[in-house]
Amino acid sequence: ISFNSVDSSLSSLKNCQSYINTGMDIATHVALDLVESFNDVEDVNSMENVMLEYAAMDRELNHYMRAIEETVNQIKREKPENIPDLKYLVKEKFTALESENSDSDLQRNEKYLYFKDQLKEMRKQYNDNEDIEQIDEDIAVTQSQMNFICPITQMEMKRPVRNKVCGHTYEEDAILKIIQTRKQQKKKLRCPKIGCSHADVKGSDLLPDEALKRAIESQNKQ
């Protein structure tokens, strides 16, 4: 049995998944814009609902692709004499996967978690700005600017990335360069932030910190 057409369909579905990821990225940026513009909480919450809808689409697409892959693998393994009803077998596996769905699945979606994390950081930045009037302004600004400094370059970050394991931020190019050097040396990289015990920083653990980037840009404009 030739599965060329199935492989082609799977490739198209994976392209659809990239469109969902792009949509989630756009929704995240719009939500951050809303926080930055001091828009109503209701408007920001509407973007969270959009993210959950995208997460549901992503889950459904993943289940469908998994159902197809499992069906193909089963047929390759069993090598039946007659061609089975592929459509029925896929539908059966897909229905079984969908029956296990729960709301908590959507809230564990990686891009949804990133969305929530960035919103939290963005709100923290703006709450800090509101509190400046209540404490010594020089101290507040100094503390804020310290968070803008990369622990590797000791310079203000332009493209900050945050380690999702320990929560520390670094300049993207600087941390990736060190990770690559350690990889060539076949050594693990300890987090460059002084006092951090995380001893195995990986490129896959780094996420763009859009909220921090916006805070740095806002501070520089002021």
Side-chain angles (χ1 to χ4, degrees), residues 7-221:
D7 292 337
S8 176
S9 297
L10 274 174
S11 179
S12 297
L13 288 173
K14 284 173 183 173
N15 284 336
C16 290
Q17 199 166 35
S18 72
Y19 298 143
I20 291 173
N21 288 336
T22 300
M24 294 181 92
D25 288 340
I26 292 170
T28 300
H29 281 274
V30 170
L32 296 179
D33 286 340
L34 290 170
V35 174
E36 199 170 11
S37 306
F38 299 101
N39 280 58
D40 292 339
V41 173
E42 191 176 330
D43 292 333
V44 178
N45 289 344
S46 70
M47 296 315 300
E48 182 170 353
N49 291 332
V50 168
M51 289 294 290
L52 288 170
E53 287 174 17
Y54 272 125
M57 289 167 60
D58 185 59
R59 178 181 62 187
E60 186 176 349
L61 191 57
N62 277 324
H63 282 169
Y64 193 63
M65 288 192 293
R66 182 175 160 190
I68 293 173
E69 288 168 349
E70 287 183 1
T71 301
V72 168
N73 289 335
Q74 179 184 332
I75 293 169
K76 285 179 177 177
R77 193 169 55 249
E78 296 175 357
K79 298 178 182 175
E81 291 183 11
N82 299 318
I83 298 174
D85 187 338
L86 287 174
K87 188 175 179 181
Y88 173 78
L89 289 174
V90 169
K91 186 178 179 181
E92 194 175 45
K93 289 183 184 297
F94 174 71
T95 302
L97 289 168
E98 285 285 289
S99 68
E100 298 173 3
N101 288 348
S102 70
D103 290 342
S104 60
D105 295 339
L106 305 182
Q107 291 169 354
R108 286 195 297 269
N109 178 281
E110 190 171 337
K111 282 196 174 286
Y112 175 76
L113 289 171
Y114 175 73
F115 168 87
K116 294 290 286 183
D117 176 71
Q118 287 290 286
L119 268 188
K120 178 183 170 186
E121 290 300 313
M122 195 75 174
R123 284 173 171 145
K124 192 192 298 181
Q125 295 289 348
Y126 277 84
N127 286 338
D128 286 347
N129 286 343
E130 290 171 8
D131 293 341
I132 282 179
E133 294 176 4
Q134 299 172 21
I135 57 178
D136 188 290
E137 189 170 339
D138 290 338
I139 293 174
V141 171
T142 301
Q143 288 176 340
S144 179
Q145 287 173 339
M146 281 175 66
N147 296 330
F148 300 166
I149 302 300
C150 171
I152 303 165
T153 65
Q154 292 302 310
M155 295 175 68
E156 187 176 87
M157 290 178 278
K158 290 182 171 59
R159 295 177 64 183
V161 289
R162 182 134 55 91
N163 191 323
K164 63 184 181 183
V165 177
C166 63
H168 292 127
T169 52
Y170 333 95
E171 180 65 52
E172 184 178 31
D173 289 345
I175 189 68
L176 290 178
K177 195 175 288 183
I178 297 181
I179 289 173
Q180 185 61 31
T181 301
R182 288 288 194 279
K183 193 174 180 181
Q184 290 170 351
Q185 297 170 344
K186 296 184 178 177
K187 293 180 181 178
K188 292 181 179 180
L189 172 64
R190 178 177 285 277
C191 174
K193 186 75 173 178
I194 294 173
C196 182
S197 60
H198 180 45
D200 189 12
V201 179
K202 297 184 179 73
S204 57
D205 293 331
L206 305 176
L207 295 171
D209 197 330
E210 181 66 24
L212 181 58
K213 183 183 177 204
R214 287 170 182 242
I216 294 170
E217 290 171 350
S218 175
Q219 180 71 42
N220 288 337
K221 285 177 185 175

